């Protein structure tokens, strides 16, 4: 059975990723979800129930990131952000310009700085956030993991196709 935007929204509304902290603010009438892929080729997507309000590539600068996040003042109290959690050691990361071995120190430092920048922007905007591994959020919304015979491009295309089906 294919997953729909409505099913994703219902699962998220039930507390898809329970926080390890509690927020002393009563739940708002409507909840918006901010999905964040923190990689250099990642992006931000604001979702309202079954529709994507806006999806953008990862902003290039700290100011661009802050301008985008702070542009949602009417809904800050009702946004919950989910940042994709990635490990500190990335072997053979093509997006880091190193297709053979492990990521170099400069690239990992840059990634860590960007990751911290995202968390600080959310904190400054008073948007609660939590981290989830790709395996956790993919499993939760019913998407099977990457198949052994799938190349990285095929896998990404399959994810894109599923996202387009869920959010037409």
């Amino acid at each position: 059975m294919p997953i729909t935007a409505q099913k994703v929204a219902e699962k998220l509304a039930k507390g898809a990723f329970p926080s390890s902290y509690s927020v002393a603010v009563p739940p708002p009438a409507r909840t918006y979800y901010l999905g964040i892929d923190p990689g250099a080729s990642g992006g931000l997507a604001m979702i309202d129930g079954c529709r994507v309000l806006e999806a953008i590539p990862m902003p290039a600068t700290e100011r661009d990131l802050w301008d985008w996040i702070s542009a949602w003042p009417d809904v800050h109290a009702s946004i919950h952000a989910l940042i994709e959690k990635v490990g500190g050691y990335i072997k053979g990361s093509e997006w880091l310009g190193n297709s053979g071995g492990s990521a170099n120190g400069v690239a990992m430092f840059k990634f860590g700085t960007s990751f911290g920048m995202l968390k600080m922007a959310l904190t400054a905007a008073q948007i609660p956030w939590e981290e989830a591994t790709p395996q956790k959020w993919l499993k939760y919304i019913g998407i099977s993991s990457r198949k052994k015979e799938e190349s990285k491009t095929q896998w990404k295309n399959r994810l894109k196709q599923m996202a387009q089906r869920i959010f037409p």
Side-chain angles (χ1 to χ4, degrees):
M1 175 172 73
I3 187 96
T4 64
Q6 182 62 38
K7 287 187 183 246
V8 170
E10 288 169 5
K11 285 185 170 193
L12 289 171
K14 290 179 184 174
F17 303 98
S19 300
S20 58
Y21 57 90
S22 62
V23 179
V25 177
R30 169 180 268 157
T31 302
Y32 297 85
Y33 297 96
L34 172 56
I36 303 172
D37 178 345
S41 61
L44 307 166
M46 185 69 74
I47 301 170
D48 173 12
C50 301
R51 37 185 199 125
V52 175
L53 299 176
E54 188 172 1
I56 64 166
M58 186 57 64
T61 68
E62 292 88 348
R63 185 67 204 196
D64 292 343
L65 173 66
W66 177 250
D67 287 347
W68 191 85
I69 287 178
S70 62
W72 299 92
D74 299 342
V75 297
H76 271 176
S78 59
I79 296 173
H80 186 85
L82 182 69
I83 303 174
E84 186 175 58
K85 183 178 185 178
V86 293
Y89 177 78
I90 302 173
K91 185 174 180 177
S93 297
E94 293 174 18
W95 66 271
L96 292 171
N98 185 359
S99 59
S102 62
N104 68 44
V106 172
M108 289 307 299
F109 185 80
K110 183 177 177 182
F111 180 82
T113 300
S114 296
F115 193 75
M117 176 182 69
L118 284 163
K119 294 184 344 183
M120 183 52 72
L122 293 170
T123 301
Q126 298 181 345
I127 297 172
W129 55 270
E130 52 195 290
E131 301 172 12
T133 63
Q135 296 82 2
K136 183 175 181 179
W137 69 259
L138 286 169
K139 180 180 178 184
Y140 188 83
I141 62 173
I143 297 175
S144 61
S145 59
R146 181 175 168 183
K147 299 171 184 166
K148 288 184 181 183
E149 66 275 3
E150 273 183 316
S151 69
K152 182 177 179 180
T153 301
Q154 290 170 325
W155 165 240
K156 295 288 186 176
N157 286 339
R158 185 161 64 95
L159 290 176
K160 181 179 178 181
Q161 182 182 33
M162 288 180 204
Q164 289 171 336
R165 232 185 1 236
I166 294 170
F167 300 101

